[in-house]
Amino acid sequence: MNKTRFRLLVFFMSLSLIGIILVQLYWVNSSLKNNEEQFRFHIQQVLGKVASKLQANDRYEFFALYTHFRDSSGRRPQREEMLTYYNRYKSRNKGKKVIYSDSMSQRDYNLFFDNQETNKFLADSLPDADERQQSAIAKGSGKSGDMEVWQQYQLDMYLRDFREQNPLEARVTKDWLRKTLKTELSQNGVDTHFEYGIYKNGLATKIRSEGLQWDDETSYEHNIYSERDGNPGYRLVVAFPEKQTFILSSIFGITSLSLIFTLIIIIAYLSAINQLIKQKQISEIKTDFINNMTHEFKTPIATINLALDAIRNPKILSDTEKVQRYLQMIRDENKRMHSQVENVLQISKLDKKELDITKEQADVHDILEDAVEHVHLIIEARHGTLTRHFEAKRTTALLNDVHFTNVLVNILDNAIKYSPDEPVIDIYTENVKDFILIKIEDKGLGMSKNTVKRIFEKFYREHTGDIHNVKGHGLGLAYVKRIIDDHNCNIYVESEKGKGSTFIIKMPLIN
């Protein structure tokens, strides 16, 4: 996949993901707005019903008094007589709650909700208009409904007198209002904490909960009495301190599912992008690996061919010393190719967990000496120096001497290869609690931060202009990492470009 196609693919995938997220956010926002409107609608319905019940409660109390007066006196009382009766009623029943269950029938109570029955009750109960009033009505529109209007008007006047003579606190209790609101809210699916109260002309009455505070976002109001009722300015107020939580909870389920699926899509997208990038990197690394391996095998093969051609020469064939030298060259190059193939096979076995690594008690300093011996001649040939700083007092660990020696040889070999001048290598050991630290420090080329992060990846090699300027194929340190992990050790790298590198191995000791 070329870079242009890869970038286009990532662009369109990112664009699609952003579109999905924006659609989800739009949907959640729309749902919140819709639920907000539904909540407002339900609350206004509830307040309207409770306001009607408050008025119906006043009618009930009035009709109870009216019926009691009528039944006790045997006649329908006039308005002026009811005013006097209200005062006697207040003084006689001060501090008491009187229920006229005997004189007020259930039929009378139900009248408040049926206009036809109410009109009939008005006609039977309230005083009729006198002749002068009836004549005035007759000269008006002439409609039969005018008499009903007059009777309704009389009822409003009676109720107005009743409300003026009996303050709100005497007609309504906080407990009744709270229960009524709670019942209506529950029937409309609003099951959340609320505060309530009745205000008159902007001032709070005693009919209110202690926690009521007005807030434009969470409070709602509704007029209770109309001006014709003689009580202008009464407002029923309900506040919902946990309104936002309630609205959010109503869409929590579907929103959670939407969020989960969106996260799955995001994770899948990031995973896909990560895999694409890794595949692209692997493709590049494999290309480098093939080029390096080709170069690594071409050199020994060419050397072997040249040595064989030289041996075929009759003049060389008769010179035993030269023949032995060429044979040694063939042997060395063959060993070199075998070593490269063995590295690849070992990494493959480690990946499949088929490599059997048995561990035994060993002295770390002895293993270090063996590793130094392997590279001693190479360092001498490069006129380099290797200095030991063995300060660790406890050096016994559980390890596989062959593989751990290979680990140290690989690190030392890198220190030599990546030193452009004479190699200068220092090996340190020290004890830290129940561990031994092995530090291998060189003064070579050093590595960038990005290279340090990826140095233990299989096939990875840092480019230095010409990819063949240093021998290798990016498997040595991958092998090192696998063996270190198998020994329950840790390996760290400290490096700075142009100043060299330090490999640190932290190995547990045997107590």
Side-chain angles (χ1 to χ4, degrees), residues 129-150:
D130 55 27
E131 293 183 1
R132 183 167 54 84
Q133 292 168 336
Q134 291 182 19
S135 175
I137 294 172
K139 292 179 180 179
S141 61
K143 295 182 180 178
S144 60
D146 287 341
M147 184 59 67
E148 294 177 2
V149 172
W150 169 255

Side-chain angles (χ1 to χ4, degrees), residues 109-126:
Y109 181 78
N110 292 334
L111 291 177
F112 313 141
F113 305 99
D114 190 319
N115 288 333
Q116 184 176 359
E117 290 292 330
T118 300
N119 292 336
K120 183 176 183 300
F121 182 83
L122 292 174
D124 294 339
S125 301
L126 294 180

Side-chain angles (χ1 to χ4, degrees), residues 78-113:
Q78 297 295 322
R79 181 182 174 192
E80 292 77 11
E81 292 176 312
M82 288 299 298
L83 289 174
T84 306
Y85 188 68
Y86 294 146
N87 292 327
R88 291 204 308 270
Y89 162 76
K90 283 193 298 182
S91 60
R92 184 173 65 251
N93 300 297
K94 187 175 182 180
K96 299 179 181 179
K97 182 66 177 178
V98 179
I99 300 177
Y100 297 95
S101 56
D102 295 330
S103 60
M104 184 67 178
S105 67
Q106 182 66 31
R107 173 183 170 277
D108 293 336
Y109 181 78
N110 292 334
L111 291 177
F112 313 141
F113 305 99

Side-chain angles (χ1 to χ4, degrees), residues 151-168:
Q151 291 171 339
Q152 183 63 51
Y153 173 76
Q154 282 191 309
L155 174 61
D156 292 341
M157 295 299 293
Y158 273 82
L159 288 172
R160 180 175 178 175
D161 293 341
F162 172 75
R163 291 184 180 121
E164 288 178 350
Q165 296 298 319
N166 295 277
L168 181 68

Side-chain angles (χ1 to χ4, degrees), residues 135-406:
S135 175
I137 294 172
K139 292 179 180 179
S141 61
K143 295 182 180 178
S144 60
D146 287 341
M147 184 59 67
E148 294 177 2
V149 172
W150 169 255
Q151 291 171 339
Q152 183 63 51
Y153 173 76
Q154 282 191 309
L155 174 61
D156 292 341
M157 295 299 293
Y158 273 82
L159 288 172
R160 180 175 178 175
D161 293 341
F162 172 75
R163 291 184 180 121
E164 288 178 350
Q165 296 298 319
N166 295 277
L168 181 68
E169 290 81 0
R171 308 194 311 265
V172 181
T173 64
K174 290 196 295 184
D175 187 59
W176 179 88
L177 182 59
R178 182 184 62 80
K179 289 181 178 179
T180 303
L181 282 168
K182 186 175 182 179
T183 301
E184 292 295 333
L185 288 170
S186 297
Q187 290 177 355
N188 282 269
V190 182
D191 189 14
T192 184
H193 174 69
F194 66 92
E195 302 289 345
Y196 62 93
I198 296 177
Y199 281 71
K200 181 179 181 181
N201 297 324
L203 299 176
T205 65
K206 294 181 179 180
I207 310 300
R208 65 191 298 270
S209 59
E210 295 180 358
L212 178 62
Q213 290 184 348
W214 177 266
D215 182 87
D216 291 338
E217 294 295 326
T218 60
S219 301
Y220 302 88
E221 63 178 355
H222 194 282
N223 290 332
I224 301 178
Y225 306 112
S226 63
E227 290 190 8
R228 111 182 151 173
D229 293 329
N231 289 275
Y234 274 110
R235 292 182 297 119
L236 173 62
V237 176
V238 180
F240 300 89
E242 301 172 3
K243 169 188 168 183
Q244 292 301 324
T245 303
F246 175 75
I247 292 176
L248 287 173
S249 66
S250 64
I251 62 169
F252 178 77
I254 192 68
T255 303
S256 298
L257 287 175
S258 176
L259 181 61
I260 290 170
F261 290 135
T262 302
L263 286 175
I264 291 173
I265 292 172
I266 291 173
I267 292 170
Y269 164 77
L270 294 176
S271 178
I273 294 296
N274 185 51
Q275 290 299 320
L276 284 172
I277 293 172
K278 281 188 176 180
Q279 289 299 321
K280 188 173 181 294
Q281 290 174 344
I282 289 171
S283 178
E284 293 174 353
I285 289 170
K286 284 184 176 179
T287 301
D288 288 349
F289 172 72
I290 292 170
N291 291 337
N292 284 319
M293 285 295 290
T294 303
H295 183 79
E296 291 289 333
F297 282 118
K298 280 175 68 178
T299 302
I301 289 171
T303 303
I304 291 171
N305 285 333
L306 289 172
L308 288 172
D309 289 339
I311 292 173
R312 286 197 191 99
N313 192 323
K315 293 180 180 180
I316 301 296
L317 191 59
S318 60
D319 189 339
T320 305
E321 185 179 347
K322 288 185 177 180
V323 169
Q324 290 299 321
R325 184 158 61 86
Y326 285 128
L327 287 175
Q328 185 62 40
M329 288 174 62
I330 292 171
R331 188 180 294 108
D332 290 342
E333 294 301 325
N334 183 65
K335 185 179 179 181
R336 180 178 164 189
M337 287 192 295
H338 182 269
S339 176
Q340 291 168 354
V341 172
E342 189 63 29
N343 273 340
V344 176
L345 290 175
Q346 284 181 338
I347 288 293
S348 177
K349 286 182 178 180
L350 280 171
D351 286 340
K352 297 177 182 178
K353 297 183 179 179
E354 295 176 354
L355 194 62
D356 185 22
I357 302 178
T358 58
K359 304 177 188 69
E360 296 179 354
Q361 182 175 314
D363 189 286
V364 174
H365 283 172
D366 291 342
I367 301 298
L368 279 167
E369 290 291 354
D370 289 342
V372 170
E373 189 63 30
H374 278 78
V375 299
H376 181 67
L377 292 175
I378 301 174
I379 294 172
E380 280 189 351
R382 295 276 304 275
H383 306 289
T385 59
L386 187 149
T387 308
R388 302 167 182 81
H389 306 273
F390 293 169
E391 298 178 358
K393 304 301 180 184
R394 292 182 296 155
T395 58
T396 305
L398 194 65
L399 52 81
N400 182 287
D401 57 348
V402 175
H403 286 289
F404 204 78
T405 301
N406 287 339

